[in-house]
Amino acid sequence: MAAFGRRSSGEREIKQVASRVVNFSSQYGSDKLEGSYTAYNLAGESSIFPSYGDYTKAFVLRTYGPWWNMAPSAKSPIGQSSLKTFISQDFVELEFPQPVYLTGINIIETYHPGAVVRILACNSSPAARLSSGEIRWVLLWSGPPQCQQVPPVSREFRPRLKSLDFPTNLIRLEFNHEQAGYYPELDAVELYGVEAKEKVGHVNRALGFQTERTVKLLKQLSLTDYSPSEEASGDFGYFGLLPDELIQYIVSFLDLLSLSKAAQTCSLLFRHCYDPSLYSQLDLQPYWNTVDDCTLEAFQSRCTRLERFSLSWTGGCGHLTAPVFVRLLSVVSTYFV
């Protein structure tokens, strides 16, 4: 196989396969069935490719197609303010033996390919005990599901990745299988990169600018409440001519990050963007990599009317603790269902 090529002259590119499955959201199989169809099958070398078909040695997602969301038992989306660009339905996190400066990833799909929609890398190994502010998940690649565009054959999926300025050995794949005609299956994942010790003079700045900005915006929801006297003296342009009901209706279409940004523009929008009625349904799953105790504490004053709440995929590495969660529940207990 040809090298991925994004390396300097003289640097040695190495290939690795996953040594351990760190975490996953779902799997078709059961650990009691000796690894049949489980996520743990992604650890190790490819054993199916180039064959195509249903193999018990593959990692198989729990579901496929739109029927999961069309069934009478399907749960309705939580709130209008969910991030509309977030389409991931499942994930798996893989650890590799050695941190490398990434040059490429090869995802080996052996049945109904095309469900991968996001690839992320972490600047910390699973064993490291870092605070949530130090851990950065950086988006390497994203795209729409390709299940209906790719032919029904096994393939090696090698998307062009964003460059990183830190070594990594922890990769996360996210999937959307709504377009799949049957269960998608993965055989193995190969990681290509340059050994960290060979990058002489390289500065580890832990890129992740977008993640840092998201963390900052979510934590700004804990800003001090507005002062009515400040609002009375403010000049809000045409917004100041609109009735409160109309402004409230407009901001109700904003997602959480947009609410945080709008709240910083003036005290009028601060008041409307922080209105508890906007937080009756709160979905934090799209922000799984930024949510920690500080985030929940910031939301407490806004969630006095909370009715539905999702913390799916959040709390990794102990970033959510029981005392903070209990305090939030005590605040929202009146309306929570």
Side-chain angles (χ1 to χ4, degrees):
M1 174 179 161
F4 281 82
R6 294 195 326 197
R7 52 196 173 95
S8 303
S9 176
E11 293 178 335
R12 183 171 61 92
E13 184 180 62
I14 63 173
K15 165 192 167 183
Q16 302 180 81
V17 295
S19 57
R20 185 168 70 97
V21 176
V22 177
N23 197 8
F24 60 91
S25 58
S26 78
Q27 60 184 7
Y28 180 83
S30 169
D31 299 341
K32 298 178 180 180
L33 299 178
E34 298 182 355
S36 178
Y37 296 129
T38 67
Y40 300 105
N41 288 333
L42 285 179
E45 297 281 352
S46 167
S47 60
I48 302 172
F49 186 83
S51 299
Y52 179 81
D54 184 13
Y55 289 86
T56 59
K57 294 183 292 183
F59 164 46
V60 184
L61 296 167
R62 180 180 57 175
T63 186
Y64 68 92
W67 66 270
W68 190 261
N69 294 321
M70 297 170 61
S73 59
K75 297 180 180 179
S76 59
I78 298 179
Q80 287 188 350
S81 60
S82 295
L83 196 61
K84 301 300 188 296
T85 57
F86 183 78
I87 61 172
S88 301
Q89 297 174 320
D90 276 302
F91 74 88
V92 63
E93 293 176 2
L94 303 172
E95 182 181 14
F96 293 81
Q98 180 179 346
V100 293
Y101 290 99
L102 200 62
T103 58
I105 289 177
N106 182 28
I107 304 170
I108 304 176
E109 303 172 273
T110 51
Y111 204 37
H112 293 274
V116 178
V117 293
R118 297 213 310 172
I119 304 172
L120 302 96
C122 187
N123 69 334
S124 172
S125 68
R129 288 296 178 182
L130 300 180
S131 68
S132 58
E134 297 174 297
I135 294 178
R136 292 288 177 265
W137 282 97
V138 176
L139 182 65
L140 300 175
W141 173 89
S142 66
Q146 307 170 37
C147 301
Q148 296 181 351
Q149 286 74 45
V150 297
V153 295
S154 59
R155 72 165 183 170
E156 295 179 301
F157 181 45
R158 308 171 187 171
R160 183 172 180 82
L161 306 177
K162 173 184 177 180
S163 297
L164 291 179
D165 68 347
F166 59 82
T168 184
N169 70 330
L170 183 57
I171 297 296
R172 177 182 173 114
L173 307 181
E174 295 184 358
F175 308 89
N176 181 299
H177 36 68
E178 193 168 358
Q179 297 181 4
Y182 199 63
Y183 295 99
E185 300 187 11
L186 273 66
D187 180 19
V189 178
E190 298 171 345
L191 187 70
Y192 291 79
V194 176
E195 292 183 80
K197 62 183 180 181
E198 295 187 10
K199 283 279 187 179
V200 179
H202 191 90
V203 179
N204 182 0
R205 295 188 300 273
L207 202 69
F209 172 75
Q210 184 65 35
T211 304
E212 292 175 357
R213 186 173 66 173
T214 302
V215 171
K216 183 178 179 181
L217 285 170
L218 287 178
K219 289 183 178 179
Q220 282 172 343
L221 286 173
S222 61
L223 291 170
T224 305
D225 288 343
Y226 77 100
S227 169
S229 60
E230 292 178 4
E231 183 175 322
S233 61
D235 180 9
F236 309 116
Y238 290 114
F239 264 103
L241 303 177
L242 299 177
D244 282 355
E245 294 82 1
L246 183 55
I247 299 176
Q248 200 66 29
Y249 179 73
I250 293 172
V251 300
S252 70
F253 290 96
L254 301 180
D255 60 51
L256 288 176
L257 295 187
S258 299
L259 284 172
S260 300
K261 294 175 183 178
Q264 299 176 61
T265 60
C266 65
S267 57
L268 175 68
L269 288 183
F270 186 104
R271 173 167 63 88
H272 285 284
C273 292
Y274 278 43
D275 191 290
S277 65
L278 296 177
Y279 303 91
S280 62
Q281 300 191 41
L282 190 60
D283 182 11
L284 295 182
Q285 182 177 355
Y287 314 101
W288 59 267
N289 57 325
T290 61
V291 174
D292 58 11
D293 280 349
C294 292
T295 310
L296 291 193
E297 290 176 337
F299 276 117
Q300 285 185 20
S301 63
R302 312 300 160 199
C303 294
T304 55
R305 299 183 183 178
L306 187 65
E307 298 176 0
R308 300 181 66 200
F309 188 36
S310 174
L311 283 172
S312 296
W313 299 5
T314 65
C317 301
H319 295 155
L320 290 181
T321 61
V324 173
F325 183 64
V326 170
R327 284 200 296 271
L328 178 65
L329 290 181
S330 66
V331 172
V332 305
S333 58
T334 303
Y335 292 90
F336 206 51
V337 293

